[in-house]
Amino acid sequence: MIPNTAQSGTVGAPPGWQALRALAVEVGLVATPPALLLLTRYFSWGAGVFRLCTLLALFLFVAWATSRRPKLHSVFTSGHYRLGLIAFALWLGFAQTRAFVHDMLSDVECTTDMGRPSICAGEWLLRGMNPWAECAVAVPPRSLRLPKAQLRPKSPPKAPAAVKRAPPKTAPVNAAPAAPPPPPAAKPKAAPPKPPAAKPKDTWSWCLVDDRCIDSKSGGTYAAWTHHGAGFDFMDGYKYGPLMALLYLPVTHFLVEPGISVVNFVFWMALLALCAWLARTAYPALPCAPWRSLVGFLLPAAIPLSALLPRAKFEALGHRYRLVPPDPMGFLHELTVNCSNDIIPVVLVLCAVLLAAQRRSFLAGVFCGLSLATKQLPAPLVALLLVRLDGVSWRRFLVGTVATASLIYLPFFLWSPREMIANLVLFGAVRPTNTSSIRSYLPAALQPLVTLLQLGALAFFVLRWARAKRRDLAALLPIAALLLTAFVAFNKVVHGNYLIWLQPFVALALSGAPFQVESGAAGASLRARLRASAGRALASLRWRR
């Protein structure tokens, strides 16, 4: 339980070692969700069962910490402890900003299939082609291969097999002397190295090196994929909204893959600002809430789980698993190395949440529509909660959402309605599951039950929010975090980029929900007891010596 430090209706902290316990509890509340998110990355491909268990543990922890009445008094309200919290948050932000810039300048190449479609969809649009319905006519010659294909190390040449020599023949006694052996033949000169193949001349040529379609699926879990036809059966097109391609186009047209990191960096900085702003808006009486939210969001990079978790291979539940310690910068590398684009819809939907909290219903709907115009989720999930937020006019909100999304989607939808429905809607319904999800470990007949469980959890939280007595921003953030966590945990695929949805909402929910509003005098009293307990501990150590 969260310790109750209030006694007889007055604010105060327990004496002695319990003050240190209060500090440990607060640090645990902030650090546990980032540690669980890192553990989720440890159980990645091939360990979908354990990834589900980790996400459920995160769900239960957030529900436990935010469902009770605020009882914990923060030790970081003011003074030196608050300055230490601010300094730690700034250090985390600086370190990760430096790592982000390093990745941008290192010309990293995307390791997933999320970067190339977003780059090439803009090139399709520049040439008047439809990225949801068209493939390029021809593939450029092999002289325009990707640099990463050119730089792939070649296997060393095999050594020539040893030549078996026949035993020397004995010459007869009266035979003439043998002729002198011929001079050794000159070694042939090594062939000059082949000049490196030419790089793609422009982004358009780069897009056509690997595939003439935007995002055709084959191999792996898509080995039996047959949706390469026409109309509703054409699923080789772009899987995201038009605004996603248009946002990346001005930068990726010139920088190609590093352009993805540049755009993601801008939205990542906006996400940090939004976390602090939302925490300040939701918990105005808690001055350290903005900094606590930033620490909770950035903390995974500072947790040394990669040094504690082993690299292992084992068998369980009839499957073989391969576990690799998680990269502390894994969430950052989702935006650089993996070229994930999920940060854009998340930032836009957080803008909608902030505007809704400020009772700007129409503008909140506009930003929700912009998020929907980049990616189909998570905007609709959060919109189901925003329509019941205090001070929000659901009519104005829906008008802003529908009008904005329609204005962006409609021209492209009229261009190819069937292909757009196939790539944006039907693909998610018929795509195969993989080993990152619990569904791949169940018989085909039971997998629809997981879908029902996912939709049931969604309906439960929406109805609970609609009937709640308190529907302000501070109450919305925990519900949104729980809803998104449950939705992702039971999804058909649980890839690392979906954790970007959870990270800011979980950090915001725990930045203020468990903490009770306290006055400056109460905070000073708690800090005095904390200093006194630390002084007694040091004194006891000196006495023992």
Side-chain angles (χ1 to χ4, degrees), residues 13-357:
W17 288 100
Q18 292 187 3
L20 293 176
R21 178 173 175 264
L23 176 63
V25 168
E26 183 167 358
V27 172
L29 282 172
V30 177
T32 299
L36 289 174
L37 286 171
L38 270 181
L39 197 61
T40 304
R41 289 188 170 275
Y42 183 56
F43 300 118
S44 57
W45 291 94
V49 176
F50 301 100
R51 172 165 280 196
L52 172 66
C53 294
T54 310
L55 287 175
L56 290 180
L58 175 65
F59 176 89
L60 293 175
F61 182 84
V62 174
W64 167 79
T66 59
S67 62
R68 299 173 178 271
R69 294 184 59 186
K71 297 180 179 180
L72 183 65
H73 298 285
S74 175
V75 298
F76 298 113
T77 52
S78 61
H80 299 293
Y81 297 100
R82 185 184 178 191
L83 291 178
L85 179 68
I86 295 173
F88 186 54
L90 293 177
W91 175 79
L92 288 174
F94 173 76
Q96 296 188 46
T97 301
R98 184 179 178 183
F100 214 127
V101 174
H102 177 268
D103 285 350
M104 286 192 296
L105 299 179
S106 300
D107 195 17
V108 295
E109 297 175 350
C110 298
T111 58
T112 66
D113 59 353
M114 288 181 287
R116 180 187 172 275
S118 294
I119 296 171
C120 299
E123 298 300 316
W124 254 243
L125 293 174
L126 275 181
R127 285 157 179 80
M129 299 174 60
N130 191 330
W132 294 273
E134 293 184 58
C135 294
V137 177
V139 178
R142 296 184 64 87
S143 60
L144 296 180
R145 285 299 173 187
L146 282 174
K148 60 184 178 183
Q150 301 164 8
L151 299 177
R152 188 176 294 126
K154 298 181 180 179
S155 56
K158 296 181 179 180
V163 180
K164 295 182 179 180
R165 297 183 178 180
K169 298 181 179 180
T170 56
V173 178
N174 298 328
K187 295 182 179 180
K189 296 182 179 180
K194 296 181 179 180
K199 294 183 179 180
K201 298 178 181 178
D202 52 20
T203 308
W204 170 255
S205 301
W206 179 89
C207 287
L208 298 183
V209 168
D210 283 348
D211 193 358
R212 63 188 183 91
C213 295
I214 291 290
D215 190 12
S216 59
K217 303 296 185 182
S218 61
T221 56
Y222 294 94
W225 189 255
T226 59
H227 300 282
H228 307 289
F232 291 115
D233 197 45
F234 181 81
M235 299 185 187
D236 293 337
Y238 194 41
K239 306 300 189 300
Y240 305 104
L243 187 58
M244 185 77 79
L246 295 175
L247 286 173
Y248 281 118
L249 175 60
V251 185
T252 57
H253 180 68
F254 300 99
L255 300 180
V256 197
E257 288 174 300
I260 296 284
S261 300
V262 172
V263 176
N264 286 347
F265 177 74
V266 174
F267 279 88
W268 183 75
M269 296 296 291
L271 182 58
L272 295 181
L274 280 170
C275 282
W277 199 347
L278 278 167
R280 183 179 180 183
T281 305
Y283 314 106
L286 296 174
C288 57
W291 301 105
R292 194 186 290 114
S293 68
L294 290 177
V295 170
F297 178 75
L298 298 170
L299 194 58
I303 298 179
L305 277 185
S306 57
L308 302 177
L309 297 175
R311 185 185 298 266
K313 295 181 180 179
F314 65 97
E315 293 185 2
L317 303 176
H319 293 269
R320 184 173 298 175
Y321 301 94
R322 179 175 176 267
L323 303 180
V324 179
D327 180 10
M329 291 288 182
F331 295 94
L332 200 66
H333 290 162
E334 282 289 339
L335 307 177
T336 56
V337 179
N338 292 348
C339 296
S340 172
N341 51 26
D342 288 79
I343 192 170
I344 296 180
V346 169
V347 167
L348 293 174
V349 81
L350 284 175
C351 287
V353 173
L354 180 61
L355 290 169

Side-chain angles (χ1 to χ4, degrees), residues 381-403:
L381 303 178
V382 180
L384 292 173
L385 304 178
L386 290 181
V387 293
R388 296 289 294 169
L389 186 67
D390 287 343
V392 172
S393 170
W394 65 269
R395 292 183 179 86
R396 293 172 60 85
F397 178 83
L398 288 180
V399 168
T401 302
V402 175

